[in-house]
Amino acid sequence: MGKSAVAADKDATSGALAGEEARRRDIQNRWLLATPALVIILFAALGPLLIMLVYSFLQKGLYGGVIWNFSGQGWFDVFLSKDIFDDTISFADAHMLIFWRSIKLSLITTIATLLLGFPTAYFIATRSPKWRGVFLFLVTIPFWTNLLIRTFAIQEVIKNEGLLNIVLLKLGLISSPIQIMFTDTAILLGMAYVYLPLMVLPLYASMERLDFRLVEAGYDLYATRLQVLRRIIIPLVKPGIIAGSILVFVPSLGAYVTPRILGGGKKMMLGNLIELQFGQGRNWPLGAALSITLLVIVMVALLFYVRNASKSGVKSHG
Amino acid sequence: MRSVADAVAAVSAHQVTKVFGSGSDRVVALDDVSVDIRANEFFTLLGPSGCGKTTLLRLIAGFDHPTSGRIDLEGQDISYLPPYKRPVNTVFQSYALFPHMTVAENIGFGLKMLGKPQSEIDAEVSKMLKLVKMEAMRDRATSAISGGQQQRVALARALAPKPKVLLLDEPLSALDLKLRKEMQIELKRLQSETGITFIFVTHDQEEALTMSDRIAVMSAGKILQVGSPRQIYDHPSHRFVADFIGETNFLEAELTSVSKRVGKLKLGSGTTIDASLPGDGVAKGPVTAVVRPEHANLVKGKAAAASLTGKLGNIVYFGTDTHYHVALDDGGEFIVRMQNARDDAGRWSVGDAVGVSIDKDAVQVLRD
């Protein structure tokens, strides 16, 4: 018995070595498989990005487009504004306000979807395999409907003559309709609704892998529900929390449709500001510079997340 | 007279029933189970998978609650207390070490949750690491130590908060044979050193026999017999117990007289011998009795000492002893196990007419 166990062990070791080689070959092959996608990314993502970068340093054309002369005006306009009467330079307050609103609303959206998505994902992950499939399907259903239609649907609910206000009025809880449309709250509501599945899915993925015996072990060792949540569940599903936060925060920052419809153009976010420059504003260099700025904000946020992720990954691996 | 230690059991189950599911999925995992587990004893729940042993352990731990009945800890009803309010800790089958914590953090977790100051936790962790001989591994990640070491950490983690009862759910099943033997001795040592009541769940009868003070043999949600390893082995009360633990010969016979714990048994061969009875409540008539193979001897021909006679079939050599398969004259097979001596070779050969003499007090009548 002892001998055969040792032999089995040796087999396992040599098997592992062979497996290692095969895996290396596999990875090489996968790079080949990825080549078409890489080519598309190169031309369809990096190419336009380079064009944006170049445009941001050119002179704006009178009716849109660019004039091929170097100019810092685009970048100047992002952050500063010159008074048209006395030429004094000051911060571009309107832009700063929009930057701030974008970051603030994206952060709140991320936190709100995390607070809503965490118990949802936990609930799904603790169901039987059959029910998990059903609930996951329900979570993905909103993806099947066009974003515009979903956003208009929210508008129908929250507008002054909408469902929510009618019900509240009928119940006598309010005496006049609450103005939700065209406020930050409306944008927030829309974004949280739209991006919630993007939070639930990665959270679920990491909770599904969570060994619930660890949760039992926690209870067994005198941890209360809250302590088990804080010291065992959250640390172990951190990769899911980080992935979900990135998936919600990044598109929130560049959101266009939701603030356009629910914010009604009064409450602009970065996406709307950029669109404005390429459209009515006829200021392509400014639009390009704003786009690059948005990209930089996203990159900084990502770097912050990734650093956090690798820190927590050291211990939890294995 | 009951001794003081017996007076209040460490853990006792009173008519505990646990039902999972409903309708066609309804499973009765525990069926009216009552048992007293004494303080400071090494108590083993032994049975095949699905017999309810793990369910009973989980009820004591507090992960599940009984459908009916009561579980007491030192006389206090704990049936519906959550696990974190019970002075009971568990060593899980899979160890369930926290992968995001070091060895020391794992061991100190219980004490931390109990709100002990860090200095006390550190001191206790050091003590525990020493107890399980893992001092060098203090700051290792739990993924960076071997299975046997993880097992020790799991033990230390469960012992650190000084529970009144330690529950062990097949903790040795993932270890290889050599390590398992080592850990069996280690567990025994820890139990006597800490003086904590151990409730050990296993399906391995040998493990149960070597480690336990007392064993409860379980089958199909019921406890069939509780007793010392020797009682269980020598005087099994049910066919299942006799069959599950060790090898045994079953004899269909007739009980001709009953007096207290002994009776007269008339065997198929016509011989009458004394037999132990499983408590009271066994009536005269046809019964099944068991004899362990090592509690019988072969004798030449039709010797007077022979209770049974037959023809020698197979002879299976095991090194320290040999199994002789005897085809009985009245039908059936009887296995005799005898230790090998230096001059045994050639003494018995296949086809010999042999008698089987059964040791005194070696026949046990079963309840079923």
Side-chain angles (χ1 to χ4, degrees):
Chain A
M1 183 75 194
K3 251 184 199 165
S4 74
V6 171
D9 221 70
K10 261 183 200 155
D11 278 359
T13 321
S14 63
L17 280 177
E20 199 76 43
E21 239 168 74
R23 224 168 295 140
R24 216 171 297 139
R25 266 201 308 276
D26 238 30
I27 289 168
Q28 279 171 6
N29 288 343
R30 267 175 224 162
W31 272 105
L32 276 177
L33 290 173
T35 310
L38 287 176
V39 169
I40 289 175
I41 289 173
L42 213 65
F43 282 94
L46 281 176
L49 212 63
L50 274 174
I51 294 172
M52 279 291 160
L53 192 63
V54 172
Y55 275 23
S56 72
F57 288 105
L58 295 177
Q59 213 176 326
K60 70 172 178 178
L62 195 51
Y63 303 104
V66 285
I67 300 168
W68 283 84
N69 291 327
F70 174 82
S71 162
Q73 192 61 39
W75 282 100
F76 178 90
D77 288 347
V78 171
F79 301 103
L80 305 168
S81 63
K82 195 188 261 178
D83 195 290
I84 46 169
F85 298 113
D86 59 10
D87 284 359
T88 49
I89 293 170
S90 60
F91 263 114
D93 289 341
H95 289 179
M96 290 304 131
L97 191 70
I98 291 169
F99 275 123
W100 170 236
R101 181 186 294 125
S102 293
I103 292 170
K104 183 183 74 180
L105 291 185
S106 300
L107 275 176
I108 297 175
T109 303
T110 308
I111 292 165
T113 52
L114 183 60
L115 290 178
L116 290 170
F118 196 94
T120 311
Y122 190 85
F123 172 83
I124 299 173
T126 48
R127 295 311 100 184
S128 69
K130 188 181 77 183
W131 282 106
R132 281 185 220 169
V134 173
F135 284 120
L136 280 181
F137 172 73
L138 290 176
V139 167
T140 52
I141 276 186
F143 285 140
W144 301 27
T145 321
N146 185 284
L147 174 64
L148 267 172
I149 295 171
R150 277 187 283 160
T151 310
F152 278 122
I154 292 185
Q155 185 184 344
E156 285 307 301
V157 174
I158 62 173
K159 67 181 184 187
N160 286 8
E161 315 80 40
L163 192 66
L164 183 70
N165 275 315
I166 291 174
V167 170
L168 289 177
L169 281 170
K170 282 263 157 72
L171 287 173
L173 290 171
I174 50 172
S175 51
S176 58
I178 313 169
Q179 176 67 43
I180 304 173
M181 279 299 288
F182 316 129
T183 64
D184 284 357
T185 312
I187 298 175
L188 214 55
L189 212 65
M191 292 209 300
Y193 165 63
V194 168
Y195 297 126
L196 187 57
L198 295 180
M199 180 62 88
V200 172
L201 294 179
L203 273 178
Y204 167 78
S206 60
M207 277 185 200
E208 197 223 354
R209 269 178 286 139
L210 178 67
D211 182 354
F212 281 91
R213 285 170 297 194
L214 297 176
V215 174
E216 283 193 343
Y219 287 134
D220 190 62
L221 292 161
Y222 312 107
T224 58
R225 280 165 202 285
L226 215 62
Q227 286 170 322
V228 165
L229 180 68
R230 195 165 79 86
R231 298 190 178 274
I232 294 165
I233 299 175
I234 290 179
L236 289 175
V237 300
K238 205 168 173 189
I241 296 176
I242 288 164
S245 301
I246 290 172
L247 284 178
V248 172
F249 183 76
V250 170
S252 295
L253 210 52
Y256 170 72
V257 170
T258 313
R260 176 69 200 269
I261 295 172
L262 301 177
K266 287 184 188 169
K267 299 284 183 178
M268 262 196 259
M269 283 179 67
L270 263 172
N272 310 95
L273 182 61
I274 291 167
E275 192 266 352
L276 186 69
Q277 302 317 321
F278 284 98
Q280 291 163 310
R282 292 178 198 161
N283 194 344
W284 287 25
L286 174 57
L290 283 168
S291 299
I292 303 282
T293 310
L294 174 60
L295 190 76
V296 169
I297 295 173
V298 169
M299 295 290 248
V300 168
L302 274 181
L303 267 172
F304 172 75
Y305 277 133
V306 167
R307 268 191 52 186
N308 250 328
S310 61
K311 234 187 277 170
S312 77
V314 174
K315 272 189 194 173
S316 68
H317 243 280
Chain B
M1 274 299 282
R2 301 180 71 177
S3 71
V4 179
D6 282 342
V8 176
V11 177
S12 53
H14 302 280
Q15 296 174 305
V16 170
T17 294
K18 177 67 185 176
V19 179
F20 290 108
S22 61
S24 58
D25 293 333
R26 199 179 123 100
V27 176
V28 180
L30 286 175
D31 186 1
D32 195 27
V33 166
S34 294
V35 65
D36 280 349
I37 295 160
R38 297 174 194 144
N40 307 334
E41 81 174 328
F42 196 119
F43 191 88
T44 297
L45 297 169
L46 173 66
S49 63
C51 72
K53 55 189 193 297
T54 296
T55 303
L56 183 53
L57 201 75
R58 290 175 61 83
L59 291 185
I60 299 171
F63 302 136
D64 283 313
H65 303 293
T67 309
S68 67
R70 208 177 81 228
I71 289 176
D72 286 357
L73 181 80
E74 295 184 339
Q76 302 277 312
D77 186 355
I78 57 161
S79 308
Y80 296 97
L81 229 50
Y84 51 86
K85 287 192 178 158
R86 302 181 185 209
V88 169
N89 289 136
T90 309
V91 178
F92 294 86
Q93 184 169 10
S94 55
Y95 314 144
L97 297 179
F98 303 127
H100 56 300
M101 299 181 198
T102 64
V103 165
E105 284 168 338
N106 263 281
I107 297 173
F109 188 81
L111 294 166
K112 193 168 183 175
M113 292 303 106
L114 285 171
K116 303 282 184 216
Q118 193 59 44
S119 58
E120 193 181 319
I121 295 173
D122 288 340
E124 197 56 42
V125 167
S126 301
K127 230 169 86 185
M128 284 298 140
L129 283 167
K130 199 169 167 218
L131 187 70
V132 296
K133 299 169 186 157
M134 292 277 294
E135 291 106 315
M137 307 288 170
R138 189 181 184 108
D139 296 317
R140 289 276 189 97
T142 54
S143 53
I145 59 176
S146 72
Q149 291 170 332
Q150 289 182 7
Q151 166 76 81
R152 285 160 190 275
V153 175
L155 262 168
R157 184 179 72 174
L159 284 170
K162 298 199 179 62
K164 298 223 161 96
V165 176
L166 186 73
L167 307 175
L168 302 108
D169 186 9
E170 308 218 18
L172 307 181
S173 58
L175 303 179
D176 65 48
L177 189 72
K178 190 162 165 274
L179 208 52
R180 193 155 68 218
K181 295 270 179 217
E182 257 175 56
M183 283 309 293
Q184 286 177 6
I185 297 165
E186 191 79 8
L187 275 178
K188 255 325 242 193
R189 177 180 71 87
L190 284 173
Q191 198 257 331
S192 55
E193 268 178 38
T194 55
I196 291 171
T197 309
F198 276 34
I199 303 179
F200 186 88
V201 159
T202 185
H203 62 267
D204 184 332
Q205 44 119 349
E206 191 189 312
E207 203 166 274
L209 290 176
T210 51
M211 300 173 73
S212 322
D213 293 322
R214 287 198 306 152
I215 299 171
V217 183
M218 296 186 68
S219 168
K222 284 179 183 294
I223 290 182
L224 297 181
Q225 190 177 5
V226 180
S228 69
R230 187 157 271 263
Q231 276 167 350
I232 299 273
Y233 185 81
D234 285 349
H235 302 291
S237 61
H238 295 72
R239 182 180 279 272
F240 179 86
V241 177
D243 206 24
F244 190 71
I245 297 166
E247 276 180 282
T248 198
N249 293 296
F250 291 95
L251 295 171
E252 303 304 325
E254 193 173 330
L255 197 57
T256 53
S257 86
V258 174
S259 71
K260 284 209 170 165
R261 301 296 297 259
V262 253
K264 295 273 183 219
L265 203 61
K266 193 176 172 206
L267 301 177
S269 60
T271 336
T272 298
I273 57 171
D274 289 343
S276 311
L277 303 181
D280 28 57
V282 182
K284 281 191 248 182
V287 291
T288 304
V290 288
V291 179
R292 296 289 181 191
E294 67 275 21
H295 293 161
N297 282 292
L298 285 186
V299 290
K300 290 273 186 199
K302 291 193 188 305
S307 307
L308 301 161
T309 55
K311 203 171 243 156
L312 198 51
N314 260 332
I315 298 177
V316 188
Y317 179 73
F318 277 95
T320 55
D321 48 34
T322 303
H323 290 194
Y324 301 92
H325 295 244
V326 180
L328 296 177
D329 290 338
D330 59 303
E333 192 190 51
F334 194 99
I335 299 171
V336 174
R337 184 154 96 203
M338 292 198 292
Q339 223 168 47
N340 293 325
R342 297 281 290 274
D343 52 358
D344 265 354
R347 186 156 167 220
W348 305 100
S349 38
V350 175
D352 285 356
V354 292
V356 177
S357 83
I358 296 169
D359 296 351
K360 195 168 149 38
D361 298 335
V363 186
Q364 173 70 40
V365 174
L366 300 177
R367 280 184 188 280
D368 53 356

